[in-house]
Amino acid sequence: MLVQVTKDPIGHKGGRLTSQVSLPGRYMVYVPDGRLSGISRKLPDTERSRLKGILKRLTPEDAGVIIRTAAEGATEEALERDLNRLKAQWEVIDSKSKTASAPSMIYAEPDLVIRVVSGHLQRGLHLARRAGRRRVGHDRQLRPMGGT
């Protein structure tokens, strides 16, 4: 049986578990065995309508997707990249869960600080890559500062 910890243990209280696994991404939450999809109600109606059309085209038949508020203004390509990354992440988790002996930790999300910094770096790399294409006319390999 595969379960997800939804709340860590605090003091004398144990953690909270669920068998409904969900994987959060930048623009969406992927629910591998879910059948329902939805869009954040915090988004304006016009944006919800636009995202609803995209959601119909992208959502796999065997999974559910919940579009987050952060998806406001995101392109269909960005949403598709997020979905593909989450699907690949799920395939790795599912594969490991079939060979692991119980009890085992199959996957752990990175620390909050790492997730925040990574999100900012990804946005920065995207901007640098786009700026590079405009200037030079093609994509260049990005290297860390001071690297070779």
Side-chain angles (χ1 to χ4, degrees):
M1 171 181 248
L2 184 64
V3 295
Q4 181 174 18
V5 177
T6 58
K7 186 175 181 183
D8 288 328
I10 299 174
H12 297 293
K13 290 186 175 186
R16 188 177 303 156
L17 306 177
T18 181
S19 59
Q20 177 91 33
V21 175
S22 62
L23 302 173
R26 176 180 283 175
Y27 301 119
M28 64 188 67
V29 176
Y30 181 71
V31 186
D33 295 320
R35 299 289 181 255
L36 298 175
S37 293
I39 300 172
S40 170
R41 293 186 188 272
K42 294 179 182 179
L43 293 169
D45 289 340
T46 54
E47 184 66 359
R48 285 175 52 88
S49 296
R50 182 185 77 85
L51 290 169
K52 188 174 185 178
I54 294 172
L55 187 60
K56 283 182 181 179
R57 290 189 293 277
L58 294 181
T59 304
E61 291 182 20
D62 60 342
V65 174
I66 301 164
I67 300 292
R68 303 171 76 162
T69 311
E72 185 171 13
T75 64
E76 184 167 347
E77 293 77 24
L79 293 167
E80 189 171 15
R81 274 193 310 273
D82 199 29
L83 177 61
N84 289 338
R85 185 186 61 76
L86 293 169
K87 283 173 28 178
Q89 185 179 9
W90 168 247
E91 289 169 6
V92 169
I93 291 168
D94 189 41
S95 174
K96 285 182 180 180
S97 73
K98 291 176 180 170
T99 59
S101 57
S104 294
M105 182 185 300
I106 305 296
Y107 174 79
E109 286 187 352
D111 184 67
L112 177 62
V113 172
I114 292 171
R115 289 193 320 252
V116 169
V117 170
S118 174
H120 286 294
L121 286 176
Q122 287 173 0
R123 277 186 230 111
L125 290 177
H126 177 71
L127 292 174
R129 196 171 29 236
R130 290 191 66 200
R133 274 192 218 134
R134 270 194 302 259
R135 244 182 300 124
V136 180
H138 66 279
D139 224 356
R140 291 186 179 255
Q141 183 178 2
L142 296 174
R143 295 186 192 108
M145 295 293 283
T148 57

